Amino acid sequence: MSHSSIQQDIFKTLEHRMGKDILRRRLNIQAKNAASFYQGKGLSQFHPENVEWIPKLLKIILTGCGMLNRGYRNSMDYRVEYVETRFDVLPKAFDGLRILQIADPHFDGIPDGGKKLSSILSSLEFDLCVLTGDYRFLTFHEYTQPIKILSNIIRLLECEHGIFGILGNHDFVEMAPMMEQLGIRMLLNENFSLVKSGKTIHIAGVDDPHYHGCHDLRKALTGLPREDFTLLLSHSPEIIKQAEAAGADYYLCGHTHAGQICLPGGVPIITNAHCSRKYTKGSWSFGSMHGHTSRGTGSSGISVRFFCPPEITIHSLRSNN
């Protein structure tokens, strides 16, 4: 089979899963200059991650201040955050479920190629793994290198209930089949049910709402009973209100990097999200829904962090039943 035929088959499969309109929308945006200021069609119309001169200017400033190497080291100063959240609707069979969340790894931008990250991941215990988007460093270059790094890390993510992922604003939709070949169940406005001891919970995932605007909550939650526990994966926290109204119980996201370069005390200069700042890092609640926005496992634009260490999260779900 020719390469073009393989590509056609991939896009036919994606069209069946995502819907023709959503896939066409995403591919149209990808085909245009992804590095422009206002190319995206998502909830935020200004995308600083696509402005090429910003990281270049930051690098010049940090080099002049003698802070660049410290920023590099900070970008690999991983903190494992343990988050416990209680739910009335979580079945007792899933009490204590441990979920590893890796958000915004930007694999090809990690200064040591992922060696320290791999060392930490190898020491963790978890039952389920979720990847909440942004696997490559920039938004417009090739994506084989981050997939290659991920392929070296994937064996460390094996767990009882499997690995699930969604796409972020740095990712092209063509990456989804490549990731699924590694054993990751990608959720493209889709859901998956886990059954244990006769009880069921659901994992739903939406496509990037921030830049591509291809999220479809209705499709992602299709067929899920409102009374069942639903974990929703979204790249950014920008659709919290809609998610709570749709019946999601726990909302996991990232995208903001909690600012990445912050003022002392972790005060972000830029959060790059069209929502209240109280939802751009850490754990929060909105109505009946709980959620957590990771500070991000990697870095974007420039591989530095200040007053905002990278995060690897272990979520422990507890049942009130």
Side-chain angles (χ1 to χ4, degrees), residues 9 11 29 37 44 54 71 79 88 90 96 100 111 113 131 146 157-158 199 247 251 270 278 281 283 315 319:
D9 287 345
F11 286 122
I29 295 171
F37 282 7
S44 178
I54 291 181
R79 309 292 174 85
D88 292 333
L90 182 71
L100 168 67
L131 311 175
L157 306 181
E158 294 179 358
K199 300 297 182 180
Y251 185 117
I270 297 174
K278 65 182 177 180
K281 68 175 180 177
S283 296
H315 301 272
S319 171

Side-chain angles (χ1 to χ4, degrees), residues 174-315:
E174 297 93 319
M175 295 168 65
M178 300 171 71
M179 295 179 67
E180 291 192 322
Q181 289 179 0
L182 299 178
I184 301 166
R185 177 66 167 92
M186 299 299 291
L187 298 173
L188 308 173
N189 296 321
E190 298 168 309
N191 61 69
F192 187 90
S193 298
L194 297 179
V195 180
K196 185 176 183 181
S197 300
K199 300 297 182 180
T200 304
I201 64 172
H202 311 285
I203 305 172
V206 292
D207 194 13
D208 169 45
H210 173 76
Y211 182 76
H212 298 93
C214 292
H215 58 291
D216 188 338
L217 272 170
R218 181 197 59 78
K219 186 175 183 299
L221 299 175
T222 295
L224 303 187
R226 288 292 292 259
E227 64 271 18
D228 285 2
F229 177 88
T230 298
L231 166 67
L232 178 67
L233 309 180
S234 172
H235 179 59
S236 83
E238 293 166 293
I239 55 170
I240 289 174
K241 182 177 181 180
Q242 301 95 309
E244 193 268 346
D249 298 292
Y250 200 31
Y251 185 117
L252 297 185
C253 61
H255 171 68
T256 66
H257 294 219
Q260 186 170 314
I261 298 176
C262 295
L263 301 175
V267 179
I269 300 170
I270 297 174
T271 59
N272 194 22
H274 189 66
C275 64
S276 171
R277 285 198 167 200
K278 65 182 177 180
Y279 303 119
T280 59
K281 68 175 180 177
S283 296
W284 44 262
S285 294
F286 183 89
S288 61
M289 182 178 71
H290 297 294
H292 184 87
T293 305
S294 169
R295 294 191 303 270
T297 309
S299 303
S300 177
I302 180 171
S303 298
V304 299
R305 281 182 176 262
F306 291 98
F307 302 106
C308 186
E311 174 179 337
I312 300 166
T313 323
I314 300 287
H315 301 272

